[in-house]
Amino acid sequence: MILFVSDLHLCAERPAITGLFLRFLHERATRAEALYILGDLFEAWLGDDCVLPEHEDVLDALAATVTAGTPVYVMPGNRDFLLGDAFAQRSGCRLLGDAAVIDLYGTPTLLLHGDTLCTDDLPYQQMRKQLRDPRWITQFLGKAPEERLAFARELRAVSEEATGGKAAEVMDVNQEAVRDSLRAHKTQHMIHGHTHRPSHHTVDLDGKRAERWVLGDWYAAGSVLVCEAQGCRLERFGLD
């Protein structure tokens, strides 16, 4: 059994969800062959040198999961793209790049956070390019923790306001971008998050059948994709 989650957006404002994730790690992840976290584990990650107090227990729980024998792979998302080597060392997790292909029970599977597929959202893609610029990152990490936190809060407010004014289809993936990614990585199976629209889709890829699994968010409950040799299934579970 291999587990996939994304878009937990852990933060001080939602302690119940953090508690749910900690229980998930202890009760389910420790019984899995591997756990993949495909982006936005944290609502904000200000740099490895600036860990927020509410994230300390999460790092300890991840390390305990790895120590118990379950490898944990973390792909940075659009909210926590500054996760780095010190995070990996502290948590025991293995960091992935923007895209990774794994062998999922004999099926080559492309893993993405998912934001690179939303090519119709041009303002977002422009902002993403700016924030991933090494020069911008160096400048940001040179700021005091208070300045970084203030910027993260401002960025979240701007993002929420912009999201409210965009059409739903603009914020979803572009189907040709999905096909292009599958072609580029020579796969017919994809798992991603970011859009917060958990589902299973079939894709016509040059006359062949491809599959796309979309992970759910953890805003009100937990969401996980459970994959076994027989296939995959989406599960949702509450706080009780």
Side-chain angles (χ1 to χ4, degrees):
M1 176 178 64
I2 298 177
L3 306 177
F4 299 86
V5 298
S6 73
D7 301 287
L8 293 95
H9 295 270
L10 301 180
C11 59
E13 291 79 8
R14 297 187 299 121
I17 293 298
T18 297
L20 181 63
F21 180 60
L22 296 180
R23 292 200 301 276
F24 169 80
L25 289 176
H26 178 68
E27 296 173 5
R28 297 198 65 179
T30 52
R31 296 187 283 111
E33 297 173 52
L35 169 64
Y36 287 84
I37 303 172
L38 302 187
D40 288 356
L41 170 60
F42 301 108
E43 177 66 26
W45 186 261
L46 307 178
D48 286 358
D49 62 329
C50 187
V51 179
L52 297 174
E54 60 266 27
H55 297 335
E56 295 286 353
D57 287 346
V58 176
L59 298 179
D60 290 341
L62 288 169
T65 301
V66 173
T67 299
T70 301
V72 180
Y73 301 86
V74 177
M75 178 176 287
N78 54 294
R79 299 295 181 91
D80 53 12
F81 61 92
L82 292 176
L83 291 169
D85 292 340
F87 159 80
Q89 183 174 7
R90 164 77 186 277
S91 66
C93 297
R94 307 178 196 181
L95 285 176
L96 301 174
D98 285 342
V101 176
I102 66 169
D103 183 334
L104 186 60
Y105 297 107
T107 300
T109 300
L110 173 61
L111 308 181
L112 301 166
H113 174 52
D115 57 337
T116 56
L117 302 172
C118 300
T119 54
D120 293 326
D121 192 346
L122 298 180
Y124 170 78
Q125 295 299 333
Q126 183 177 8
M127 180 182 69
R128 184 184 190 280
K129 182 178 180 180
Q130 175 188 343
L131 296 181
R132 299 298 182 100
D133 187 312
R135 293 170 296 181
W136 184 92
I137 291 174
T138 298
Q139 183 180 33
F140 180 78
L141 294 179
K143 296 180 181 295
E146 297 78 11
E147 293 180 272
R148 299 188 214 176
L149 183 59
F151 177 83
R153 289 172 174 165
E154 179 183 355
L155 189 63
R156 180 167 66 176
V158 170
S159 175
E160 290 174 350
E161 182 179 358
T163 298
K166 293 176 182 176
E169 58 270 19
V170 170
M171 294 185 292
D172 204 355
V173 301
N174 176 284
Q175 295 303 318
E176 197 54 41
V178 169
R179 295 187 183 92
D180 287 344
S181 292
L182 289 168
R183 292 186 190 108
H185 292 89
K186 297 179 174 57
T187 66
Q188 293 173 238
H189 197 245
M190 173 188 291
I191 301 173
H192 72 82
H194 182 67
T195 64
H196 301 193
R197 302 180 183 190
S199 189
H200 174 239
H201 303 273
T202 57
V203 180
D204 181 358
L205 183 65
D206 305 322
K208 298 179 180 179
R209 183 181 183 275
E211 292 183 274
R212 177 170 68 94
W213 286 94
V214 186
L215 306 175
D217 63 60
W218 285 53
Y219 280 159
S223 182
V224 59
L225 178 68
V226 181
C227 291
E228 299 173 300
Q230 298 83 359
C232 297
R233 65 184 183 276
L234 282 163
E235 293 183 5
R236 198 153 178 82
F237 48 95
L239 296 171
D240 296 332

